[in-house]
Amino acid sequence: MGLHVVVIGAGFGGLGVAHALRAAGVRDITILERADDVGGVWRDNTYPGAACDVPSPLYSWSWATNPTWGRRYSGQAEILDYIRRTAADDGLLDLVRTGTEVTALEYADGAWRITTNHGVLEADVVVSATGQLSNPVIPAIPGADTFAGPAFHSAQWRHDVDLAGKRVAVVGTGASAIQFVPGIADRVRALTVFQRSAPYVVPKPDRAYTPGHHRAFERWPAVPAGERRLTYWITERFNGALEGTSPIAGPLMAAIRASWKLQLRRQVRDPELRRKLVPDYRLGCKRVLFSNDWYRALDRDHVDVVTEPIIAIEPAGVRTGDGRLHEADVLIWGTGFAATEFLGGIDVRGVDGVPLEKLWADGARAHLGMTMPGFPNLFVVYGPNTNLGGSSIIGMLEAQAGWIAQVARRIQDGRAHRVAVRRDVWEAYDDEMQDRLGHSIWAGCDSWYRDGRRITTNWPGLVAEYRRRTATVDWSELEEVGAVSSR
């Protein structure tokens, strides 16, 4: 029996799964992508200054290292070009159906029925690679739809809107805002940044790679390989510090805090503004951000940082709790993504029609972040508790792709049919995750890592540990579920 695998999403996760499946000998693969191109978040986020906060030598597939990166921390356009080029060279683009949005997954008669905007198709195995940062969020603020001027989310940047000479309001001070605010500050007439919680922003050790670097990278591949290994080692020490297991956790976090404090003091002259920009939580509890020009952008005469809570959006601007109306011509939402809504927008129903939202009524959870009881042959890439506080997510994605490829190959060989994690294993794993996360640094504050009740996004250990645990499938943890198709 041939095995048909459908992968949902053509970003780093989905394309990486397809590569791993083909390496394992699984050939019948279809990648469904709702947009008109591959690239995931690097296709969608085109705002000024968009770039990665993980060094490029590590933020790339291990099977497609790139000696021609233009700088240590590459920008959006270069990363998107890398994804497109690598997918083309690997023959993955031939597997992609663009403009195809999945709205429902239903397990019936031993197979998955996939409902899309172009009709229904069936698959033996489905892999969701929709990501944690793919669906933008605009907060439910009264009057949000009444603003008279252009209003858009940073992940849906309106390049047709000329910001020159405009009064611009920015809501949010997260990872996107710290990049696009410096990118637009010189163009606008006035900029008002609404801050709910100040982030820790530390220097970004970025630099352009020179022709000399590129000659060395081409001539001696061990040089970029060594940079990749060194970056991985450094980021793993940071992961250990967040978990609290690293022996250098104390000194490392103290050094990071000192670099943040020094940058804030050097770049912000106004002591009152400086006080506004001091976080009220422990370093590492929320995502640590990297920028060399965020604080400089805020310390300009035409830029105002507002910490009063927003109570309403009005046609003319933003109303805050002190009663003041902050007038604006353009409103930009830098308010992040629905990170805890895994498979968001897809109605998923497993054995006996049980909806996934019922299984996840108390929060999303999956064994190894990939498999749930009662949902055979459905696997999630970048699923619950697989995000990182540090290091490159691509290392996690590759580990997941390898594990899924092992399962798919076993099914193709007829040694398994319709498999999912045993419920007791799923429950024990989730207990472990929540116990460890409860003792991690992330337990100390509210952040997008939480769904309001529990931390559902983050992995509590090192990347190395996750790779060990996913390197070889433990078949005793899985069981046959549901009817075996007679097709």
Side-chain angles (χ1 to χ4, degrees):
M1 181 185 74
L3 182 74
H4 183 208
V5 180
V6 165
V7 179
I8 306 171
F12 267 117
L15 294 169
V17 166
H19 172 86
L21 287 169
R22 296 204 313 180
V26 178
R27 312 300 297 183
D28 189 359
I29 306 163
T30 303
I31 304 174
L32 304 180
E33 171 55 56
R34 68 182 180 183
D36 60 1
D37 194 5
V38 301
V41 296
W42 297 108
R43 174 200 60 237
D44 295 341
N45 288 267
T46 61
Y47 58 79
C52 192
D53 60 5
V54 175
S56 300
L58 187 60
Y59 195 79
S60 49
W61 284 301
S62 64
W63 45 272
T65 54
N66 178 23
T68 64
W69 288 118
R71 55 189 317 112
R72 181 173 289 135
Y73 292 85
S74 295
Q76 172 267 334
E78 188 174 16
I79 296 172
L80 179 58
D81 178 70
Y82 165 79
I83 295 171
R84 287 171 172 161
R85 186 177 70 251
T86 304
D89 292 345
D90 203 54
L92 299 176
L93 293 184
D94 297 336
L95 310 177
V96 181
R97 295 187 193 176
T98 57
T100 306
E101 183 169 10
V102 175
T103 57
L105 297 172
E106 181 185 10
Y107 181 80
D109 299 325
W112 283 98
R113 288 173 52 84
I114 305 160
T115 302
T116 77
N117 57 331
H118 294 305
V120 178
L121 62 155
E122 287 195 352
D124 302 294
V125 173
V126 174
V127 181
S128 172
T130 56
Q132 294 187 15
L133 306 176
S134 56
N135 292 319
V137 165
I138 293 178
I141 298 174
D145 59 348
T146 67
F147 184 70
F152 52 89
H153 192 280
S154 61
Q156 299 162 333
W157 196 268
R158 290 274 307 276
H159 292 279
D160 62 317
V161 176
D162 185 4
L163 300 180
K166 299 291 196 307
R167 298 168 300 176
V168 178
V170 173
V171 180
T173 55
S176 299
I178 70 151
Q179 294 184 338
F180 75 73
V181 164
I184 67 174
D186 286 335
R187 282 189 270 158
V188 304
R189 187 176 97 201
L191 185 60
T192 305
V193 178
F194 295 88
Q195 173 185 278
R196 185 174 62 176
S197 176
Y200 284 97
V201 182
V202 300
K204 188 176 186 178
D206 193 14
R207 65 157 300 159
Y209 288 127
T210 66
H213 284 110
H214 290 139
R215 286 193 296 271
F217 295 163
E218 292 281 2
R219 185 173 181 182
W220 297 293
V223 174
E227 185 176 7
R228 181 182 176 96
R229 287 194 298 271
L230 177 61
T231 303
Y232 172 72
W233 184 87
I234 292 171
T235 57
E236 283 283 74
R237 304 289 75 73
F238 182 59
N239 285 332
L242 294 175
E243 185 189 15
T245 59
S246 171
I248 62 169
L252 177 59
M253 297 304 278
I256 294 172
R257 182 179 175 83
S259 68
W260 156 74
K261 191 172 184 178
L262 180 61
Q263 176 164 257
L264 176 63
R265 180 167 292 277
R266 282 180 171 176
Q267 295 186 359
V268 178
R269 300 160 297 172
D270 179 5
E272 178 57 32
L273 175 59
R274 200 182 301 145
R275 279 192 289 272
K276 289 183 179 181
L277 300 176
V278 174
D280 60 359
Y281 54 87
R282 186 181 175 191
L283 174 68
C285 189
K286 298 184 181 183
R287 183 175 175 181
V288 177
L289 306 179
F290 297 83
S291 174
N292 298 323
D293 49 14
W294 166 248
Y295 290 135
R296 286 195 185 98
L298 300 184
D299 192 44
R300 300 187 187 190
D301 293 340
H302 70 296
V303 178
D304 188 22
V305 177
V306 176
T307 58
E308 283 287 328
I310 297 172
I311 61 171
I313 305 295
E314 301 180 10
V318 180
R319 180 81 62 180
T320 49
D322 56 2
R324 181 181 174 189
L325 176 64
H326 303 265
E327 295 184 342
D329 305 306
V330 179
L331 173 61
I332 303 175
W333 300 98
T335 44
F337 302 85
T340 61
E341 295 180 11
F342 304 90
L343 285 87
I346 303 176
D347 179 19
V348 184
R349 295 177 183 270
V351 174
D352 297 327
V354 174
L356 181 59
E357 63 181 15
K358 180 178 180 181
L359 184 71
W360 283 355
D362 295 324
R365 61 199 78 186
H367 181 57
L368 299 173
M370 292 184 280
T371 174
M372 296 77 66
F375 292 80
N377 291 10
L378 172 64
F379 307 106
V380 184
V381 171
Y382 202 6
N385 298 123
T386 61
N387 185 56
L388 296 172
S391 196
S392 170
I393 193 60
I394 297 176
M396 300 288 282
L397 299 179
E398 288 192 5
Q400 293 156 33
W403 188 94
I404 292 168
Q406 291 179 56
V407 176
R409 180 55 193 255
R410 190 176 180 107
I411 296 171
Q412 179 172 275
D413 291 347
R415 293 179 293 140
H417 300 284
R418 301 292 182 265
V419 296
V421 64
R422 293 180 4 230
R423 184 172 286 270
D424 61 313
V425 173
W426 173 72
E427 291 174 344
Y429 180 83
D430 183 62
D431 288 343
E432 178 201 344
M433 291 296 100
Q434 293 306 310
D435 179 66
R436 291 173 62 179
L437 289 164
H439 292 89
S440 73
I441 198 168
W442 301 308
C445 65
D446 290 327
S447 69
W448 63 262
Y449 301 148
R450 309 179 72 97
D451 64 1
R453 295 156 295 186
R454 37 188 271 141
I455 299 172
T456 56
T457 60
N458 284 14
W459 166 248
L462 304 183
V463 175
E465 180 197 347
Y466 187 81
R467 291 163 107 171
R468 286 194 301 270
R469 295 178 70 159
T470 55
T472 302
V473 175
D474 182 350
W475 292 99
S476 70
E477 296 179 338
L478 306 180
E479 63 181 357
E480 291 284 345
V481 180
V484 176
S485 175
S486 60
R487 293 178 300 150

